[in-house]
Amino acid sequence: MAMTDGNRSYSVRDMIKENKKKQSGQQFVEWLMPKLLLLTATISVLTTIGILFTLLFETFVFFERVSIVEFLTSKEWLPWDEKTGSFGVAPLVTGTLLTTAIAMVVAIPIGLASAIYLSEYASEKARKILKPILEVLAGIPTIVYGFFALTFVTPLLQKIIPNLGIFNALSPGLVMGIMIIPMVASLSEDAMSSVPNSIREGALGLGSTKLEVALKVVLPAATSGIAASFMLAISRAVGETMIVAVAGGSSPVFTFDVTKSIQTLTAYIVQVTTGDAGYGTTVYYSIYAVGMTLFLFTLAMNLLAQYISRRFREEY
């Protein structure tokens, strides 16, 4: 039996051969794709291991020269004098925590309020307008935020707080909070939108107002996702570099005064890697110890976010 396709004829045997060729090609793709995916996953894991190994090795070199007790307990960070310098990381940690706390005071309330509005109140038209605006905020380079904090926010705050220095913790903290708002809003809105509508309808049927449904029904049901977004936002603030490097100053002082110049963990790394320290010096190796401290901070935040997500996850 033969079939024709225009001027060309095909027998059943030819059609079977053609089909086998297609199947063999599909089987090859099915065999190849898992191997490629495994390769990419392996590269990611090996890259992470390589970064961690580099941090650990160079950090051990640093602690061969500087006591770990001094690093953890001293309240002075004066690394530039090789003979009489002090390597207490506390001033850098307090500077980081101070700017992070200010950022969270801004980002969490505004981001959560934005998420509640987008999830429970906004019309489809309003959502289409507001979500792209949030995405634009998330896409602005952090160096732009840094100069915005230095040249606009700080002079504005100096009119309200006369003793505020040109470099301070308040201004970069506030701008970091503005930068992180889209992250909190987007992740929290996704968590709230995943709550089934049947729960909302049941609460409304029992006589609850829309605000009561949002605050007493939807918000508790989305606790795991919202809490995880908070933890990830804190990690983002801890690891922020350019805003604090530009507007926070470079004064590693153990203080909780938001009007004073400070230095964060990331800002110190920037300062050293711009060429202020020679290779092989104690100052050079100190950036790895500071980087390891930063790594442990962000790792703890991510693990905490995963724990909270598992602990408070609601099954529907």
Side-chain angles (χ1 to χ4, degrees):
M1 181 178 177
M3 300 179 65
T4 61
D5 181 11
N7 296 326
R8 189 176 178 184
S9 63
Y10 292 90
S11 66
V12 174
R13 182 176 295 177
D14 291 336
M15 295 175 65
I16 293 173
K17 288 181 179 179
E18 191 73 23
N19 189 40
K20 284 183 177 179
K21 287 181 180 178
K22 290 181 179 178
Q23 287 181 349
S24 64
Q26 291 175 351
Q27 288 174 355
F28 176 74
V29 171
E30 290 294 330
W31 174 86
L32 181 62
M33 286 309 297
K35 305 295 188 294
L36 290 176
L37 295 174
L38 176 61
L39 178 62
T40 55
T42 303
I43 291 173
S44 300
V45 173
L46 291 177
T47 302
T48 303
I49 293 173
I51 293 171
L52 184 58
F53 175 78
T54 302
L55 272 177
L56 286 171
F57 180 78
E58 303 292 358
T59 300
F60 285 143
V61 174
F62 172 76
F63 285 125
E64 289 176 355
R65 305 183 182 190
V66 177
S67 167
I68 191 171
V69 175
E70 177 188 350
F71 184 76
L72 296 175
T73 60
S74 175
K75 294 182 180 179
E76 288 188 342
W77 183 261
L78 303 170
W80 303 107
D81 191 334
E82 290 280 345
K83 295 181 179 180
T84 60
S86 177
F87 289 90
V89 77
L92 301 181
V93 172
T94 56
T96 301
L97 295 180
L98 191 59
T99 53
T100 299
I102 296 169
M104 291 305 100
V105 169
V106 175
I108 288 178
I110 298 177
L112 185 57
S114 302
I116 293 173
Y117 174 75
L118 290 171
S119 174
E120 305 301 316
Y121 289 95
S123 63
E124 191 63 29
K125 183 179 180 181
R127 193 176 289 109
K128 287 181 179 179
I129 295 173
L130 293 174
K131 292 211 79 171
I133 294 175
L134 288 175
E135 291 170 2
V136 167
L137 279 177
I140 297 174
T142 56
I143 187 68
V144 176
Y145 278 114
F147 282 109
F148 172 71
L150 180 65
T151 61
F152 180 79
V153 177
T154 296
L156 196 64
L157 291 174
Q158 285 176 329
K159 296 179 181 179
I160 304 171
I161 309 173
N163 65 333
L164 186 70
I166 187 66
F167 297 109
N168 57 83
L170 182 59
S171 178
L174 293 175
V175 174
M176 267 204 302
I178 294 172
M179 180 192 68
I180 295 170
I181 286 173
M183 174 185 287
V184 176
S186 179
L187 294 176
S188 298
E189 194 263 336
D190 288 343
M192 296 174 70
S193 296
S194 66
V195 176
N197 283 328
S198 58
I199 295 180
R200 295 179 176 86
E201 293 166 358
L204 291 170
L206 292 172
S208 300
T209 65
K210 203 163 186 178
L211 181 62
E212 288 174 332
V213 172
L215 298 181
K216 297 181 180 180
V217 178
V218 177
L219 210 60
T223 297
S224 62
I226 293 172
S229 75
F230 292 169
M231 294 299 103
L232 292 175
I234 292 173
S235 297
R236 178 69 182 86
V238 168
E240 172 52 36
T241 303
M242 295 313 302
I243 296 176
V244 290
V246 172
S250 56
S251 303
V253 180
F254 186 82
T255 180
F256 292 99
D257 187 350
V258 298
T259 65
K260 302 296 184 182
S261 173
I262 50 92
Q263 188 171 47
T264 64
L265 294 165
T266 53
Y268 173 73
I269 294 173
V270 169
Q271 181 185 10
V272 175
T273 53
T274 51
D276 289 340
Y279 176 80
T281 61
T282 305
V283 175
Y284 169 79
Y285 287 113
S286 71
I287 66 175
Y288 291 97
V290 171
M292 178 58 71
T293 305
L294 184 63
F295 172 79
L296 293 176
F297 263 106
T298 54
L299 177 64
M301 289 296 102
N302 289 331
L303 292 177
L304 184 59
Q306 292 181 11
Y307 169 76
I308 291 173
S309 182
R310 289 195 303 267
R311 175 68 177 81
F312 296 103
R313 183 178 292 116
E314 297 288 345
E315 300 291 344
Y316 296 101

